[in-house]
Amino acid sequence: MSHEYEKVEVPEAGAKIEAVGDNELEVPDNPIIPIIHGDGIGVDVGPAAQKVLQAAANATGREIHWMQVYAGEAAREKYDENLPDDTVEALKEFRVSIKGPLTTPVGAGFRSLNVALRKKLDLYTNMRPTYHIDGVPSPVKAPEQMDMVNFRENTEDVYAGIEWEAGTDEVQQVKEFVEDEMGFDSTIHDGPVGIGIKPITEFGTKRLVRKAIDYALENDRDSVTLVHKGNIMKFTEGAFRDWGYEVAEEEYGDEVITEDTLWNERDGEAPEDAVVVNDRIADNMLQQILTRTDQYDVLAMPNLNGDYLSDACGAQIGGLGIAPGANIGDGRFLAEPVHGSAPKYAGQDKVNPSAMILSGRIMLEFLGWEDAAQLVRDAIEATISSKKVTYDIERQIEGGEKLATSEFADEIVENIEDLA
């Protein structure tokens, strides 16, 4: 039975995606999928993505029944609140959804609307595939070598948000406790200080690493790299590394082998089809993605490292304007582009919608519609390679034809129809 909604209109046609196990979904060919167009440029990229994803579904014999739900500015205008309960309940009930960028206004009651949605839905994995689309300008010589998938923990580390502001009674209590009770009496400098705590748990780490390893096994990836700063933060990020290795060693049998075992016991020869789990220090990894790009497949990271590394990876394939992302929990999924809301361009029908379209491509893969997902990628690549592009790319290439957001989406749809 559906939730009784006051602030969301449920499509009359279409069917619900149902859970059939802890992590398994039963996906009809005519699913109801909630969509939040988003703030700022969301009014442009949201409808563009919707059009392209619908075309890919139709071209493969399916139909998406879109259910528009509201958060951010659109929700404030309609309902005078930033994140209506009905929006959250709809995303829970219909399980698979997509959203554009959201801006959290000052004094909104949320640190971040994006983070609030992830926490309320327990979307503990932020997944960002990074790959180069032919024709997109890049600052590196060989952007095609970039083909990584970043798994970023989505609920703890800096997202836990335990902080005390300089000058408050609370921060003074924490400082005195750390110095007097815990014995760190010469660690904190004199004068105003802000203090924060970053919790990293065994529970949060292991479920994130499982997602990364499962993805690598299901998609024929060779390795999963745990990225951490455990050489300094030994009991948080060092623990992330250790708990990650425990998952690899204790839960996957011969399907997974650690790098130490690979070299100490097998002379570097991995079993056929086995995923190799290794680890790298975070600052070194920022260098490795530039100098040894093609040696890495899947990265699994605490929240802050994942934020840094995924943006750095995105820069190598042309920037965040084309970088897709998704948030995944147990039996729930919310696609979203990496970029922000860029309010100064809102409503100008100008910006590049590729990031949201490619985020929708991840959604199609999650639904099991690999044929539709491949059509989306091929059609975007065909469009950009033909130099029919939005302003951000047109200004970087010679002989480009500048298209509006909606025109670019129409061109992609035409290519989908031609390729199908």
Side-chain angles (χ1 to χ4, degrees):
M1 175 65 72
S2 292
H3 176 85
E4 293 296 325
Y5 297 108
E6 295 179 1
K7 299 174 182 177
V8 171
E9 183 177 346
V10 181
E12 293 183 6
K16 284 175 61 176
I17 296 170
E18 300 285 0
V20 293
D22 290 341
N23 252 327
E24 298 296 319
L25 296 178
E26 186 175 87
V27 180
D29 284 340
N30 60 336
I32 297 171
I33 294 183
I35 182 168
I36 299 170
H37 285 165
D39 294 333
I41 59 172
V43 301
D44 301 309
V45 301
Q50 196 170 324
K51 181 186 294 185
V52 170
L53 298 173
Q54 185 66 269
N58 293 161
T60 53
R62 306 176 180 102
E63 178 81 17
I64 297 174
H65 294 267
W66 297 102
M67 175 183 182
Q68 189 167 1
V69 295
Y70 301 92
E73 184 177 350
R76 290 195 299 278
E77 290 176 355
K78 287 179 73 73
Y79 305 116
D80 197 30
E81 54 183 315
N82 289 293
L83 187 58
D85 290 341
D86 278 357
T87 293
V88 176
E89 289 305 315
L91 300 182
K92 286 181 180 178
E93 180 175 353
F94 294 93
R95 295 192 171 273
V96 176
S97 50
I98 182 170
K99 62 173 282 295
L102 292 176
T103 302
T104 303
V106 176
F110 297 98
R111 176 175 296 183
S112 162
L113 288 175
N114 295 316
V115 174
L117 277 170
R118 295 167 190 171
K119 287 188 174 183
K120 286 176 180 289
L121 300 170
D122 197 24
L123 301 171
Y124 57 85
T125 299
N126 182 245
M127 172 188 169
R128 295 185 182 180
T130 311
Y131 50 87
H132 185 243
I133 296 291
D134 191 36
V136 175
S138 166
V140 299
K141 291 181 179 179
E144 68 279 359
Q145 291 184 359
M146 172 62 70
D147 186 12
M148 295 183 202
V149 185
N150 295 305
F151 282 75
R152 170 192 178 194
E153 205 289 323
N154 225 8
T155 63
E156 47 188 36
D157 191 9
V158 294
Y159 268 10
I162 306 174
E163 289 189 306
W164 295 273
E165 184 180 2
T168 62
D169 291 340
E170 290 80 7
V171 81
Q172 186 61 29
Q173 292 175 27
V174 175
K175 183 174 183 291
E176 290 174 0
F177 174 77
V178 168
E179 292 179 337
D180 300 339
E181 300 294 327
M182 302 301 292
F184 294 93
D185 55 358
S186 60
T187 300
I188 303 173
H189 293 300
D190 292 335
V193 58
I195 297 177
I197 293 176
K198 52 174 287 178
I200 290 180
T201 68
E202 179 182 14
F203 172 78
T205 296
K206 287 188 171 182
R207 65 179 184 172
L208 180 278
V209 173
R210 286 187 198 104
K211 282 284 191 215
I213 294 176
D214 288 346
Y215 179 90
L217 289 167
E218 292 165 8
N219 293 274
D220 298 321
R221 295 283 184 155
D222 292 333
S223 66
V224 173
T225 301
L226 309 172
V227 183
H228 60 90
K229 191 64 177 170
N231 57 327
I232 301 298
M233 292 175 279
K234 301 182 186 302
F235 307 125
T236 51
E237 301 208 10
F240 178 92
R241 174 201 58 210
D242 295 343
W243 288 324
Y245 276 129
E246 284 181 12
V247 170
E249 293 168 345
E250 297 173 5
E251 300 183 17
Y252 287 91
D254 292 338
E255 291 184 297
V256 174
I257 188 169
T258 65
E259 189 174 49
D260 283 349
T261 301
L262 180 67
W263 290 106
N264 292 337
E265 300 179 14
R266 301 184 61 92
D267 297 323
E269 291 294 325
E272 188 175 355
D273 298 327
V275 170
V276 177
V277 174
N278 52 36
D279 74 280
R280 299 290 183 267
I281 301 299
D283 50 308
N284 178 255
M285 192 65 209
L286 285 164
Q287 172 183 256
Q288 299 268 334
I289 62 170
L290 277 169
T291 60
R292 301 184 180 185
T293 309
D294 59 355
Q295 295 185 17
Y296 295 94
D297 278 320
V298 177
L299 310 183
M301 297 164 280
N303 183 274
L304 186 58
N305 293 338
D307 203 6
Y308 294 153
L309 265 295
S310 56
D311 280 12
C313 288
Q316 290 184 222
I317 51 93
L320 299 187
I322 58 167
N327 304 285
I328 307 170
D330 293 329
R332 288 197 173 87
F333 177 99
L334 176 62
E336 66 175 356
V338 174
H339 62 67
S341 59
K344 71 177 182 178
Y345 296 118
Q348 295 182 25
D349 197 23
K350 178 179 181 178
V351 298
N352 190 341
S354 295
M356 187 157 178
I357 294 169
L358 291 170
S359 298
R361 176 180 181 249
I362 309 173
M363 183 186 77
L364 297 179
E365 290 179 327
F366 188 80
L367 294 173
W369 298 0
E370 285 84 2
D371 50 353
Q374 190 61 46
L375 268 179
V376 169
R377 175 169 178 169
D378 291 346
I380 285 183
E381 196 155 55
T383 305
I384 294 174
S385 295
S386 71
K387 297 189 176 183
K388 295 180 179 180
V389 292
T390 48
Y391 87 100
D392 56 315
I393 296 178
E394 186 269 341
R395 65 186 179 182
Q396 300 182 66
I397 62 175
E398 291 185 7
E401 179 183 347
K402 184 166 65 174
L403 302 180
T405 307
S406 55
E407 292 171 335
F408 183 68
D410 289 339
E411 194 69 29
I412 296 170
V413 168
E414 285 188 26
N415 282 317
I416 286 174
E417 293 168 352
D418 290 343
L419 291 164

